Amino acid sequence: EDWQDRGAAVAVRQEVDANGKTVARYIKKGVRDFSFGNTLGEGSYSTVVFATDRQTLKEYAIKILDKRHIIKEKKVKYVNIEKDTLNRLTDHPGIVRLYYTFQDERSLYFVLDLCKGGELLGVLKRMTTFDEECTRFYGAQILDTIDYMHKRGVIHRDLKPENVLLDHQMYVKITDFGTAKILKTRRPDESQTSIPPIDSTEIPEEERASSFVGTAEYVSPELLVDKNACKASDLWAFGCIIYQLLAGRPPFKASNEYQTFQKIVALDYEFPIGFPTVARDLVERLLVLDPARRLQIEHIKNHEFFDGISWGPELWKQKAPRLK
Ligand SMILES: O=C(O)C[C@H](Cc1nc2cc(Cl)cc(Cl)c2[nH]1)c1ccc(Cl)cc1
């Protein structure tokens, strides 16, 4: 048994050993502890399956990855990043929760929250567009979750409506952290050079994310121009999501990826007639080419579009607005 994987052994049982000493026994879950049901989704590197814990009858979504495929496609790094990131982002309602990880000879298993509301993209497609009240609520829950991630030094890098799941209360659960970037925390004693880096070569490796590119429609210009993603890159994607909820389509969409990229770097998009004015002001302050001039989270929270939202625990207690 691989006992090192403490991150997954969340279940602990008290036992008395041979000398009468009380010891903590970590319970490692395995395939045999679950009964598997229908397939919920297929990714290029994973299959998500409905499963029930045989002892507790609790329901989960289990993400299964084929080891050979992961190795062949050189995705081992991404799988371990997903595990490490999810093990780091454990106490926020807007992050899909990782309960256990385990493996057998063929596969790797992530035991995750079951999100019965499906993907935000699917809900949006059925609605065509969201009204302002729904956009405000879902935008606020997504932003609150991005704030939590960034405060823990995690950049998602592939935020999009497919990666925003909804649980049984129709609350947001952000998923798919395989392409996240964990910023190494600077040692407090390290003298912070006050002079900003001249170009990306001067940005320390941990700040400069590798050459991963997200999904075309939501990729930030800085990622296309000089290969670095930063926290502001998630806020560019956030701006695209707000636009898409109200307009029913993303701001930058062309017939192929290359043309989509050209529209992004040229900031070539327009608002449909009737796009709400206050929301338009917010989107215009997020879809800014220079990441340093893009609205930051605190300013977004204070933007007029979010008037009426009480940030913090209240946001995760109120009823989700009926999707109309
Ligand atoms: O047990 C742990 O915590 C660490 C392992 C690390 C790990 N073992 C692997 C074996 C293979 Cl073949 C591929 C990957 Cl990506 C692998 N990642 C692991 C197991 C399961 C899951 Cl879902 C992720 C990582």
Side-chain angles (χ1 to χ4, degrees), residues 139 149 168 274:
M149 265 183 241
H168 60 289

Side-chain angles (χ1 to χ4, degrees), residues 2 5 67 71 76 79-80 83 101-103 108-110:
D2 163 12
D5 183 6
K67 283 181 173 178
I71 293 172
V76 172
V79 174
N80 293 327
K83 179 179 183 292
T101 59
F102 49 82
Q103 51 184 304
L108 300 168
Y109 301 82
F110 286 93

Side-chain angles (χ1 to χ4, degrees), residues 160-305:
K160 53 183 177 177
E162 293 92 314
N163 287 339
V164 179
L165 303 183
L166 301 169
D167 66 12
H168 60 289
Q169 304 178 92
M170 296 306 270
Y171 281 2
V172 156
K173 289 267 183 211
I174 293 181
T175 189
D176 205 348
F177 286 84
T179 51
K181 184 75 196 164
I182 301 179
L183 298 175
K184 292 184 195 73
T185 40
R186 292 164 185 257
R187 284 176 299 287
D189 59 345
E190 187 181 345
S191 64
Q192 316 274 6
T193 47
S194 55
I195 311 115
I198 297 180
D199 63 31
S200 64
T201 51
E202 284 213 11
I203 299 177
E205 172 48 38
E206 65 272 20
E207 304 274 323
R208 205 161 19 96
S210 57
S211 60
F212 162 76
V213 169
T215 305
E217 287 77 11
Y218 307 89
V219 165
S220 58
E222 62 272 16
L223 199 59
L224 294 172
V225 168
D226 52 341
K227 293 263 162 288
N228 349 336
C230 50
K231 290 180 177 177
S233 306
D234 280 345
L235 298 177
W236 172 279
F238 177 71
C240 293
I241 293 170
I242 296 293
Y243 177 104
Q244 183 171 357
L245 293 179
L246 289 164
R249 62 174 170 81
F252 306 102
K253 183 113 183 94
S255 41
N256 64 59
E257 281 203 352
Y258 181 75
Q259 286 175 345
T260 300
F261 293 155
Q262 282 185 305
K263 283 176 164 283
I264 292 167
V265 296
L267 202 61
D268 171 10
Y269 78 105
E270 55 273 324
F271 292 92
I273 310 280
F275 195 94
T277 316
V278 173
R280 174 172 177 144
D281 181 79
L282 173 62
V283 171
E284 284 172 346
R285 294 175 194 279
L286 287 167
L287 299 187
V288 170
L289 290 179
D290 177 355
R293 291 185 48 251
R294 220 164 281 159
L295 265 199
Q296 292 179 4
I297 291 181
E298 279 323 303
H299 302 129
I300 304 171
K301 288 182 172 182
N302 293 328
H303 191 278
E304 187 189 346
F305 180 70

Side-chain angles (χ1 to χ4, degrees), residues 77-114:
K77 183 167 69 96
Y78 290 109
V79 174
N80 293 327
I81 287 172
E82 178 155 25
K83 179 179 183 292
D84 297 344
T85 312
L86 286 172
N87 278 333
R88 180 189 269 240
L89 302 175
T90 51
D91 53 348
H92 191 281
I95 305 274
V96 78
R97 187 148 160 227
L98 174 63
Y99 295 88
Y100 312 100
T101 59
F102 49 82
Q103 51 184 304
D104 58 19
E105 58 295 331
R106 239 162 56 117
S107 308
L108 300 168
Y109 301 82
F110 286 93
V111 180
L112 300 158
D113 270 323
L114 177 66

